[in-house]
Amino acid sequence: MKKKMLLLNTTVLLGLGGVLSTPAYASTIQDMESQKSQIQNQRQDVQSNIKAASDELTRLQAEQDQMKAQLERLTLAEKENNKKAQKTEADIKETSKQVEQLEKEIKLLQEKLEKRNAILKDRARSLQESGGNVEYLQVLLGSSSFGDFVDRALAVSTIVDADRGILKETKNMQDELKTKQADVKSKLASLEDMKAELDEMTVQLAAQKKQKDALAKELKDKEAKNEELKASLQSKDSSLANEQSTLEQNIKDQKAAEEAARKAAEQAAKEAAKKAAEQAQKAAAAPAEKADSSSAKAEAPKASSNDVAPTSAPAPKASNVVTVGNRWIGNSAYVFGGGRSQSDINHGLFDCSSFVHWAYAQVGVNLGPLGSVSTETLKHAGTQVSSSQMQPGDLVFFDTYKKDGHVGIYVGGGKFIGAQSSTGVAIANMSSGYWKQKFNGRVVRI
């Protein structure tokens, strides 16, 4: 009978043990934990891409801001150069009028001189007829031109004082007018050269602005696409987060259900054991034997948890003159006559000579008054040296719209830094191409 009861107890406990093991629950939780792990890995990848997109947006926005600032500089430079071009045109017109007026004065004077010439020749003939000095007459009448006549007449010691005074006065007037005419024509030529350079500069600035506008649009398009990508990634991350949250809740619910089933099975096992013991006592009509429920308890396997929390994401030196201007590369514009006020400097608006003055001022070297600095003042600011002895920091000069019309700072390796009309402050190659052709060999060491 005892064997019978033992077999019954064993059968009940084995059956309960099968219930407590809940292989179906464990399998479901394991699948969900695996799926949750995969979603977490996907979220990590998506969040990494979101960060990369955010970093790219920051970079593009910074580049966009820099581009806007440069466009503003170019617009301002274009405006200032147009003003100077208009003023130069007005100066050219005014100078042209001066040239015309001087030419009229010279023509009137020439007519007056021709009349005086005729009078002097008549007086010379009268002198000959009255038996005057033959040497004097030969000198005067043998002149090839009136200018030659005046020079000859002044050289003859026998000329009468009255004639000498007339001739000297006439020659002085003629020389003065010719000098004025030469000066005005020189100024006119210089203004025309300047106008040509300003016109070319305006074309270059317009081309730069057009290029910058296109680049700004390209950056804006990239920014919009990157924003779209970031929004898409954030949406995907949100969707994955919802999936992860749902899985975590399902796992929690499944574990709670498993725990409830385990406890129910334990309770049922206890009750079944108790009932079996009571039945065994009655059947054997013997003293009740206490069932060793502790030895019959089935231990349900615990589902392993794979929860993984998502991861979260010195004083200036003279030698520095060749590099102090690097800060303006890409952040400046060329303005003819610019760089001579703090406002121009703050906006990066220079011409070649004001940039050189500024660069040397940064290392404690004063190249004279800023307001009057020019290529002419700079070429006398130091010691002339041979181009074969050029060193970084030396000033180098180029014949552009005029002799010594452009200046820069030699940086070594056949290159110089300067404010160029086509680029603003930039490093250019003077060992080949345009600047090699324009370099005139003048080198000044400060």
Side-chain angles (χ1 to χ4, degrees):
M1 189 65 177
K2 288 181 178 179
K3 286 182 181 179
K4 235 173 128 181
M5 292 304 302
L6 181 59
L7 182 59
L8 176 63
N9 288 338
T10 303
T11 302
V12 171
L13 291 173
L14 286 173
L16 290 173
V19 172
L20 290 172
S21 66
T22 60
Y25 289 140
S27 176
T28 302
I29 291 174
Q30 185 176 1
D31 288 344
M32 286 192 292
E33 290 284 5
S34 176
Q35 189 176 355
K36 174 186 170 183
S37 179
Q38 291 176 2
I39 289 175
Q40 287 175 332
N41 289 336
Q42 289 180 37
R43 284 197 70 193
Q44 287 178 1
D45 291 340
V46 170
Q47 288 169 353
S48 176
N49 289 334
I50 289 174
K51 184 179 183 305
S54 297
D55 291 344
E56 178 65 7
L57 272 175
T58 301
R59 187 190 69 79
L60 287 172
Q61 286 167 354
E63 194 172 342
Q64 186 83 351
D65 291 341
Q66 186 179 4
M67 190 66 62
K68 286 178 182 177
Q70 181 65 0
L71 282 171
E72 289 175 1
R73 272 189 291 271
L74 288 171
T75 301
L76 182 58
E78 188 176 29
K79 182 179 178 181
E80 291 298 318
N81 284 321
N82 284 336
K83 282 183 182 178
K84 287 182 172 61
Q86 290 171 2
K87 184 179 183 304
T88 302
E89 285 180 350
D91 290 343
I92 288 173
K93 288 180 181 179
E94 181 61 30
T95 305
S96 297
K97 288 180 181 178
Q98 293 177 19
V99 171
E100 290 176 4
Q101 181 61 34
L102 284 171
E103 286 177 344
K104 288 179 181 179
E105 292 179 10
I106 288 173
K107 184 177 180 181
L108 290 173
L109 179 61
Q110 286 175 339
E111 292 175 356
K112 187 183 292 186
L113 291 175
E114 288 298 331
K115 290 178 181 179
R116 288 190 177 187
N117 184 26
I119 292 171
L120 289 172
K121 285 186 177 181
D122 287 342
R123 292 174 65 178
R125 288 191 184 92
S126 298
L127 182 61
Q128 181 182 25
E129 291 172 358
S130 62
N133 190 309
V134 177
E135 179 185 1
Y136 171 68
L137 295 174
Q138 288 176 343
V139 169
L140 295 182
L141 298 177
S143 59
S144 59
S145 66
F146 183 68
D148 185 29
F149 170 79
V150 172
D151 290 336
R152 287 174 176 239
L154 289 174
V156 176
S157 60
T158 57
I159 191 169
V160 294
D161 291 340
D163 290 348
R164 184 185 297 275
I166 293 173
L167 289 170
K168 281 186 177 181
E169 180 186 354
T170 303
K171 181 172 176 57
N172 289 340
M173 290 173 63
Q174 186 183 41
D175 291 344
E176 182 181 356
L177 283 174
K178 284 184 176 179
T179 300
K180 285 183 179 179
Q181 187 181 43
D183 289 343
V184 174
K185 285 185 176 180
S186 175
K187 181 181 176 183
L188 181 61
S190 178
L191 287 170
E192 288 173 343
D193 287 341
M194 186 186 299
K195 177 64 169 53
E197 185 178 32
L198 285 168
D199 287 344
E200 177 64 23
M201 192 187 312
T202 301
V203 172
Q204 290 172 347
L205 285 170
Q208 281 186 58
K209 190 172 182 298
K210 184 177 179 181
Q211 184 179 6
K212 298 283 185 184
D213 284 335
L215 186 55
K217 183 179 183 304
E218 183 181 344
L219 286 173
K220 197 69 178 175
D221 292 343
K222 285 182 180 179
E223 192 175 320
K225 288 180 181 178
N226 211 54
E227 285 279 12
E228 185 180 346
L229 173 62
K230 183 181 176 182
S232 174
L233 290 168
Q234 287 173 331
S235 175
K236 184 175 181 180
D237 182 61
S238 178
S239 176
L240 288 171
N242 290 335
E243 287 185 42
Q244 180 178 333
S245 178
T246 300
L247 277 171
E248 287 172 347
Q249 186 60 45
N250 289 344
I251 291 171
K252 183 179 179 181
D253 292 345
Q254 195 73 343
K255 285 182 177 180
E258 180 183 303
E259 182 65 16
R262 187 185 67 77
K263 289 181 178 179
E266 282 184 353
Q267 185 62 31
K270 287 180 181 179
E271 291 176 358
K274 183 178 179 181
K275 187 175 181 180
E278 290 174 353
Q279 288 176 351
Q281 286 176 352
K282 290 179 182 180
E289 295 180 8
K290 294 183 179 179
D292 188 5
S293 61
S294 60
S295 63
K297 289 181 182 178
E299 295 182 1
K302 295 182 180 180
S304 62
S305 174
N306 294 322
D307 269 353
V308 179
T311 58
S312 58
K317 297 180 181 179
S319 59
N320 292 339
V321 72
V322 300
T323 57
V324 292
N326 290 351
R327 58 171 289 196
W328 294 115
I329 295 175
N331 298 307
S332 61
Y334 186 95
V335 172
F336 201 96
R340 287 162 178 78
S341 69
Q342 194 56 49
S343 176
D344 278 359
I345 293 172
N346 291 343
H347 288 89
L349 305 179
F350 296 96
D351 66 9
C352 61
S353 52
S354 65
F355 171 74
V356 169
H357 188 284
W358 174 88
Y360 267 93
Q362 304 313 297
V363 297
V365 178
N366 185 357
L367 295 182
L370 176 59
S372 59
V373 67
S374 66
T375 54
E376 288 298 312
T377 64
L378 291 177
K379 74 181 185 183
H380 300 296
T383 304
Q384 303 276 335
V385 298
S386 169
S387 60
S388 62
Q389 297 176 335
M390 272 192 302
Q391 295 178 4
D394 290 344
L395 304 188
V396 287
F397 291 78
F398 305 84
D399 292 342
T400 51
Y401 73 99
K402 67 174 184 177
K403 185 170 180 59
D404 298 317
H406 188 71
V407 63
I409 301 171
Y410 187 64
V411 300
K415 296 181 179 180
F416 75 98
I417 185 170
Q420 272 68 267
S421 61
S422 59
T423 59
V425 175
I427 294 176
N429 189 352
M430 58 183 288
S431 60
S432 64
Y434 175 83
W435 292 111
K436 181 180 180 181
Q437 296 173 3
K438 297 297 182 179
F439 178 53
N440 62 17
R442 186 188 299 280
V443 180
V444 174
R445 183 160 300 158
I446 303 299

